[in-house]
Amino acid sequence: QVHLVESGGGSVQAGGSLRLSCAAPGVARQSACMGWFRQAPGKEREGVASIYSIGGGTNYADSVKDRVTISLDEAKNTVYLQMTNLKPGDTAKYYCAAAIANYYCHVIWPEGFDYWGQGIQVTVSS
């Protein structure tokens, strides 16, 4: 059974930083792509960032490109999302996901990911 567990969320003021972690024991090594997504109330789930498990190439949504960094620690089976200069518009529930194949890794398309964590809330106040 696959388990993805997010941590590191919380409330910060605009301009602050957070690092989200996703523990993915056994998943990260079996998956071609790991990703972070977010969903704000009343909005569709959107891709934030993704990383290829082999090679470590990364992809970012334009809305966050200069403010977030995704990384993968294979030894710890953990995927990270470092977020800086957070804005109120970043407020959402953030999800970690894993894709068996990497077909949609570059576009960070939710339907292209197979396993999901339960999500963690990030709230940015102005």
Side-chain angles (χ1 to χ4, degrees):
Q1 195 168 2
V2 175
H3 289 286
L4 301 174
V5 181
E6 301 96 339
S7 62
S11 298
V12 296
Q13 290 189 330
S17 300
L18 280 175
R19 188 177 79 158
L20 304 183
S21 300
C22 173
V27 176
R29 295 181 181 179
Q30 297 174 22
S31 303
C33 176
M34 301 293 296
W36 283 97
F37 297 80
R38 67 185 183 185
Q39 188 166 18
K43 295 187 177 181
E44 293 186 354
R45 189 169 298 189
E46 64 172 348
V48 176
S50 66
I51 185 167
Y52 292 94
S53 299
I54 297 176
T58 57
N59 308 282
Y60 297 97
D62 288 342
S63 60
V64 301
K65 186 178 296 185
D66 298 324
R67 301 186 293 115
V68 306
T69 303
I70 187 171
S71 59
L72 171 62
D73 187 329
E74 290 188 359
K76 295 182 179 180
N77 291 307
T78 300
V79 181
Y80 301 98
L81 186 71
Q82 177 70 50
M83 303 188 291
T84 62
N85 192 22
L86 283 161
K87 304 176 181 181
D90 296 317
T91 295
K93 195 167 188 180
Y94 284 70
Y95 297 87
C96 174
I100 297 173
N102 65 8
Y103 302 134
Y104 301 105
C105 194
H106 65 294
V107 293
I108 327 173
W109 188 46
E111 283 73 9
F113 286 74
D114 304 285
Y115 304 110
W116 292 84
Q118 292 189 330
I120 193 164
Q121 182 66 33
V122 171
T123 302
V124 184
S125 58
S126 58

